[in-house]
Amino acid sequence: MISYRKLKHKDKKYITNYINQAWFEEENVNEKAKKLYSIGYYYMYLRLSNYVEIATNEQNECVGFVFGRGKHVNIFRYLYYTIPYLITGLRLFLFKDGRRGLKVEFKTFKINKNLRKQVKEKIEGELQLFIVNENYRKNGIGTTLQKNFIEYLKKHNSNNYSLYTDTFSNYQYYDNNGFKKVAEMEVDFGFEDQLQEDGSLPKYFIYLKSI
C-alpha cells in the first residue's frame, strides 16, 4: 500500500540515492564526488521548492517524490538550505571531478537563464524534481504525485507550471503527456564524453503545462 506525506529528515538518504541513480550512476566519476553531487542537488531543490511530497511503501520507505513551487520562492526556506548547499559545493571543490561538476552546474544555470528568456508565456509554477523508484513504476504513484502538486498550484492560484529537462532524461514523457515545449537549446560543455549516442550535442528544454 502506498501512502503520501510530507518530507522527513530520514528521506534524505533515499532521495539522494535516487538522484545518484538517475543522473550519476553510469558516470565515470569519483564515488565521493557522486555522493556530494547528489547531496548538493538535494539541497538546491529544497532551496527552490515550497512544495514537497513523499510517496512511501508499507515499510514507510520513500519510493517516489516531487519537489515543486508555486508563483514565488519561500525566502526563509531558501536561506535555510543555502548554508548546507554552499558547504556541499565547497566540499566538491576538493575533488577534480567535483570541480568539473561545479563547472557544469554553473554553465547549466546560465543555460536555464537563457532558456527562460525564450519563454513568452508567464510561468506561475515549477516542477523542480520528480522521481519514482523504478520498481514501483506503473502503479499510479507518479500520476498521484503530479495530481497532488497540481491541486496545490490551483489552491495558490497558479494557472500553469514549467519544468527543465534535457536529452539525458526521458524528455519524451512530457511530449506525450500534455506538456508544450516552449524553449530549446543545444549545449556544448567542452567535454568529449558529453556527446549523445548518435554523436550529437545534448539539448536542454523548458516544458510548460496549463492547469
Side-chain angles (χ1 to χ4, degrees):
M1 181 178 177
I2 303 299
S3 301
Y4 299 87
R5 60 166 171 77
K6 294 182 179 180
L7 177 74
K8 295 183 179 181
H9 179 71
K10 67 178 182 178
D11 298 321
K12 176 184 173 182
K13 65 179 181 179
Y14 294 102
I15 293 172
T16 53
N17 186 47
Y18 292 145
I19 291 173
N20 183 47
Q21 290 175 358
W23 296 339
F24 308 120
E25 192 170 54
E26 297 182 3
E27 295 289 327
N28 184 24
V29 175
N30 179 287
E31 289 299 321
K32 289 184 178 179
K34 284 184 182 181
K35 184 177 181 179
L36 288 171
Y37 283 157
S38 302
I39 293 171
Y41 276 105
Y42 173 77
Y43 286 124
M44 181 184 79
Y45 287 117
L46 278 178
R47 290 168 75 227
L48 299 173
S49 300
N50 48 28
Y51 178 90
V52 180
E53 186 174 42
I54 307 297
T56 63
N57 59 17
E58 293 181 354
Q59 289 74 43
N60 201 26
E61 299 169 331
C62 171
V63 296
F65 56 88
V66 61
F67 287 30
R69 66 168 180 81
K71 294 181 180 180
H72 305 290
V73 172
N74 184 320
I75 188 63
F76 297 106
R77 187 186 188 97
Y78 182 89
L79 293 174
Y80 181 81
Y81 287 111
T82 290
I83 293 175
Y85 174 66
L86 292 177
I87 290 173
T88 305
L90 290 173
R91 292 175 66 191
L92 270 169
F93 196 76
L94 299 175
F95 297 92
K96 179 180 179 180
D97 289 332
R99 291 191 290 274
R100 166 176 158 153
L102 291 171
K103 180 180 178 181
V104 170
E105 182 58 30
F106 181 71
K107 188 159 187 176
T108 299
F109 175 80
K110 293 196 293 184
I111 291 164
N112 290 344
K113 187 176 181 180
N114 289 330
L115 281 169
R116 195 68 176 254
K117 292 178 181 178
Q118 297 180 29
V119 182
K120 298 179 180 179
E121 295 91 337
K122 181 180 179 181
I123 296 175
E124 299 185 349
E126 185 173 343
L127 183 65
Q128 302 280 353
L129 186 61
F130 172 48
I131 298 177
V132 175
N133 184 315
E134 62 181 11
N135 296 322
Y136 286 82
R137 292 174 187 171
K138 298 183 180 180
N139 289 303
I141 296 173
T143 300
T144 300
L145 287 170
Q146 287 193 69
K147 179 182 177 182
N148 293 343
F149 175 54
I150 290 171
E151 289 302 315
Y152 166 83
L153 292 175
K154 287 180 178 178
K155 183 178 179 180
H156 290 81
N157 302 312
S158 295
N159 296 308
N160 63 39
Y161 67 97
S162 67
L163 60 90
Y164 293 93
T165 188
D166 51 54
T167 47
F168 296 112
S169 307
N170 182 24
Y171 67 94
Q172 296 92 340
Y173 170 87
Y174 303 105
D175 289 320
N176 299 323
N177 283 276
F179 289 80
K180 175 185 176 184
K181 189 187 296 179
V182 292
E184 178 177 338
M185 182 180 295
E186 191 174 70
V187 182
D188 186 354
F189 287 107
F191 304 130
E192 291 183 1
D193 56 355
Q194 70 173 327
L195 298 179
Q196 306 293 293
E197 291 183 0
D198 62 1
S200 64
L201 288 169
K203 290 184 179 180
Y204 279 54
F205 313 107
I206 293 180
Y207 280 85
L208 188 68
K209 187 171 186 177
S210 299
I211 57 176

